[in-house]
Structure formats: C-alpha cells, structure tokens
Amino acid sequence: MGFARTCSVALVGVEGVVVEVQADLEPGVAAFALVGLPDKSLVESRDRVRAAVVNSGGEWPQKKLTVGLSPASVPKGGSGFDLAVACAVLGAAERVDPREIADLMMIGELGLDGRVRPVRGVLPAVLAASEAGYRQVVVPEQTAAEAALVPGVSVLGVRSLRQLIAVLTDEPVPEEEETPERGRPDPMLAGLTVPGAGMGTGVAAVPGTGAGRPDMAEVAGQRAARTALEVAAAGGHHLFLSGPPGAGKTMLAERLPGLLPPLTQQEALEVTAVHSVAGVLPPGQPLVESPPYCAPHHSATMAALVGGGNGLPRPGAVSLAHRGVLFLDEAPEFSGKALDALRQPLESGHVVVARSAGMMRMPARFLLMLAANPCPCGRYGLVGDVCECSPTTVRRYQARLSGPLLDRVDLRVHVEAVSRAELTGARAAAEDSVSVAARVREARERAAARLLDTPWRLNSEVPGHELRTRWQPFPGALREAERDMERGLLTARGLDRVLRVAWTVADLAGHDRPAAPDIAQALQLRTGLSRGVPVAAGEC
C-alpha cells in the first residue's frame, strides 16, 4: 500500500481554504476514485491527470487509487487541483519522495501533454497558504510573478509536470517550448481572462501617465462639479451628479480615479486578489497599483452589481470597484432592487451574498458616483427648451432613486449645460488632474494624521458620534445645519454626513477644524441649495 499527501487551495468567494490532497494505492482492480465534494470540472481532472502523467514519462499505477480532498465538507471546483493530484499520485506510487511534497502548496491545471496551465485566483490562494503557515508554493510559470507578491513565500514557477518531477527528484530539469511566435496570442493565458468572467461590469484600468490619461484640464466650465469631485476624492464621499445630456457627467466620472492617490501595498493586494478571482486581471500585470474604475451598463442585474451567479457567488461590480470608483451612468434606468442592494455595502464596506451553495463575504469599499438626467427626455428645467415629459413622468423618473439610497450619498450637484463661450471661447487654462490630486493628497494626509490612532483613515469612515463628541467644529458652526434638521431638510444620518464633508472641506482649506463657512459649503454640496459661499474648495 502507498500513501502520499500534498496541499492545494479551494477558493470560496475571494478567500482561500487550504485543502489537503491525499492519494492512496491499494491492491485490487485498477480504478480511480476522487472524493471530497468535487464539481464537474474537478471530476474531469482524473482523465487530465492520467494523460499528463503518462505523457510526462511516468507510469500510471495499475492499482485501486483513491484521491481524497480534505476537508470533505467544503465544496471544491475548478481545474487548479490538477498539479496537486498528479504529485500526490506520483508520491503514492513512489515516483517522487512523499516527504518532498508533504509541505508543498501546488496550484495549476494540467494539459493532456503535461504542460502546466495558469488558473485564476492565484494571489488569494497563495495568501491563504501563507496564512496557514506554508512557505513553498508551486504555480504555473505565467502566474509566478502574481504569486511572488505575497511576502515570505518561496515561489517555484513550472512549465510542465516533467519539470516539477525533475526538481523533486534532483534530476536535470528538461527545457520546454518557448512562447509562441511573435504576434500570436499565447493559448496558455486563455484561462486567466475568461470572457464574461467579470459579468460585463465594465472594469477599466486608469492609465497612470501619458497622453491617453483623462485629465481635468479637458473639462470646460463645471466649477461646482469640479469642486465636488475634489471633495469626493479627498474624503471618500459618494457623489450624485444630475443634469442635461451632454453636460459632461460621464467625462467628469472618468477623471475621478485620476484624483485618487495610488493604492498602498495592502490595498493593491486586496484589489489584485478580487480581480484575479474574477478573471479580469490583465496578463502581464500581476499587481493593480491604481484605483480601479468600474462602470456597468444600466441593464446590469443585481447579481452583476453585488455578486452572485450559479453555485458559489462570484465578485460583482461593487467588489471589482473595491478601493476605486463605481460609476452608475443613467442611474434611474437601473433596476430599483439592484440599486437598493447597494445600501448595505455603502455602509459596511463589504457585501455578504447568500446562495444555496454557501454564503460569501466579499470586499466592497468603493467610491460611488451616480449620474442622472432630470427627466427621460433630458430637457426638463432647461431655459429656452421644451420638455416633452408630463409632470407625473418626471416625478416617477426621479423617484426611481430611493430616498434611503440618496441619503447615503454625501454630495449632490446639479451640472448645468456648458455654454458656447465656455466651450469654444477664450478661457483661462483649467487646473489639470496633477494639481488637484496634489491637494487631495495633502488633505488625506491631514485626515490620516488626525485619525492616526483610530481604525479610520478617511473622513467618510468616521462615525457621526465621534465627530459630534471627539472632533467638534467651532462653537456655533452647526447652527445652520441644526435649523435644516428641525425643518426636516436633514435626517440624523444626513447631519453626520454634513459633518464628514465639512471636515474634508476644512482639510482642503488647511483649517484645524470646520468653521461656519466650511459647514455652509458642506450643506450646499449636500442639499444642492446655495448657501452664499464660494464654490471652489478651500476658498471659505
């Protein structure tokens, strides 16, 4: 009787669970049994592993073979267990020393010819292995750079099973075929970016530098909207832009990620892990270093927004926009149920999806930006233009965004149509994204210094109770906000959000704490009603 074991990782949402792969050989009729709640793609690994072992020069054992995946109660799927199953079988057959593979973590799919193909989710899998105490992992060569992002783990990237066997047995490592001809796509990378894996969420990387980078200097006019974007980026506040078609709402949204600071190392690992599981991590880019930008179409379902799908849930748009921007253009056209499903992740920073196959908790701390027209035809309220919508139609259209959802949005700005003089006339050069991003960075540094010994880093994360008791504005500064609350214009949550915005306005202006003008500007950005204060941030 022969026995060997090694380890792999099962992904549950965006988290990994260490799985021990055990192989047992006993005398009897040659058979291959795979147990431990495998799905269809994992059951098929029996044929892939057998062909890969034979085509790699190994001899398939003609005995009763049982491969167990432990813990057996955790559902397991995908083809990433192939490499671990093959090595466990070879260890039980004494082709390799079982002691050499007992402490190895292996992830990879096997082709019938023995080549090791990359799979999605390598980064969260290696993170789970590191947390479990494993210090050596074997992954496909194409994903070795992604696995190497985890500190304290030794990574071995292999191209084929025969290479791994040679390394484990101290034999000369054979050379494998190089990449395909120049100009032809590499078929080995097909499993990393599966069409539809991101569920059509419109994930896009924001260029870091170069002529193709969206720049605020290209925006004509829109002084109030530019200020709102700066405040949103500095404090992490959610933003709602309303206005006629062609006013530049989408243009402004595309430039918001460029105002955010680069991701920290920990944030980059979180974002990369989500994108790796979803299959939207670009090949050759092992680490996402800039805030992601996700703009799903208004036909997106609730599962596409918050996560879901058949079997175990997959990351949705809110998770793909983690640490970045989620832009919902034509927000009233989205399903009401899908929009209201955003209320929980907006408050908690994560989303919990329950399905029959299990419950998943996925990260979802994003900056939400909504954009909407004033009515279905878009001409309601325009001077010199006739709106074709009835008052009932306008009310029904605007009511598609529920009150509880809008109450969680800190900034609400009406975007006016750009005039001919602003668009084509001579005008002073507008500020570029670099200048605005520098002020945003300075404001975030002030907030981080103030919140140094707390679990919060942005003004939008601080609970209202702390703002009212621990970090108070100047005496009497809240008088106007309290009057609005008495009139019913502000809820208790709304007052807390006004305080958060006021702190961000004060940070941008370099004030020690919010004064009455800072509160007034926060109220103006919150309610959309003029309070007689300068529009630009930092002018109070």
Side-chain angles (χ1 to χ4, degrees), residues 212-237:
R213 176 184 181 181
D215 199 297
M216 290 290 288
E218 302 163 354
V219 180
Q222 305 303 355
R223 194 180 180 199
R226 292 171 63 96
T227 298
L229 254 68
E230 183 175 343
V231 173
H237 305 287

Side-chain angles (χ1 to χ4, degrees), residues 180-451:
E181 299 177 9
R182 183 176 300 176
R184 297 185 60 185
D186 188 354
M188 297 291 286
L189 300 177
L192 294 180
T193 53
V194 178
M199 292 183 282
T201 47
V203 178
V206 180
T209 57
R213 176 184 181 181
D215 199 297
M216 290 290 288
E218 302 163 354
V219 180
Q222 305 303 355
R223 194 180 180 199
R226 292 171 63 96
T227 298
L229 254 68
E230 183 175 343
V231 173
H237 305 287
H238 306 304
L239 172 63
F240 174 44
L241 297 181
S242 63
K249 300 185 293 294
T250 303
M251 188 178 187
L252 287 163
E254 292 172 347
R255 282 145 183 80
L256 179 55
L259 306 183
L260 301 177
L263 301 178
T264 64
Q265 182 67 20
Q266 179 61 35
E267 292 171 346
L269 288 176
E270 294 174 5
V271 174
T272 304
V274 175
H275 286 209
S276 178
V277 170
V280 295
L281 190 64
Q285 183 180 338
L287 185 66
V288 179
E289 297 177 323
S290 58
Y293 173 74
C294 189
H297 191 260
H298 58 74
S299 62
T301 63
M302 185 188 300
L305 283 181
V306 301
N310 296 328
L312 293 175
R314 299 185 57 80
V318 296
S319 297
L320 295 174
H322 181 57
R323 302 294 182 183
V325 176
L326 175 63
F327 176 52
L328 302 184
D329 199 6
E330 307 294 345
E333 300 295 342
F334 282 80
S335 163
K337 291 183 177 179
L339 287 176
D340 286 338
L342 300 177
R343 286 151 57 177
Q344 184 251 341
L346 284 176
E347 291 287 341
S348 62
H350 63 266
V351 60
V352 178
V353 182
R355 295 293 185 269
S356 59
M359 182 178 294
M360 306 299 163
R361 183 181 185 275
M362 291 175 281
R365 188 168 297 281
F366 55 90
L367 199 164
L368 176 66
M369 183 170 179
L370 303 171
N373 295 326
C375 67
C377 76
R379 297 194 294 271
Y380 179 74
L382 289 181
V383 178
D385 209 340
V386 180
C387 175
E388 300 175 353
C389 306
S390 66
T392 303
T393 302
V394 174
R395 281 197 307 272
R396 186 180 298 116
Y397 183 80
Q398 295 178 350
R400 291 181 182 177
L401 299 177
S402 68
L405 175 63
L406 289 180
D407 199 35
R408 289 167 167 81
V409 178
D410 299 343
L411 312 175
R412 306 174 192 176
V413 176
H414 181 73
V415 181
E416 300 289 348
V418 181
S419 66
R420 180 186 61 83
E422 291 175 326
L423 189 62
T424 62
R427 58 187 178 91
E431 265 191 316
D432 58 10
S433 294
V434 175
S435 302
V436 179
R439 287 201 302 271
V440 168
R441 184 173 60 253
E442 292 174 1
R444 286 204 173 198
E445 289 172 355
R446 293 189 186 98
R450 183 172 63 252
L451 304 173

Side-chain angles (χ1 to χ4, degrees), residues 489-511:
L489 299 177
L490 277 180
T491 63
R493 181 193 287 123
L495 181 62
D496 289 344
R497 293 187 176 274
V498 167
L499 273 173
R500 294 170 183 168
V501 175
W503 271 105
T504 301
V505 173
D507 287 336
L508 286 168
H511 299 163

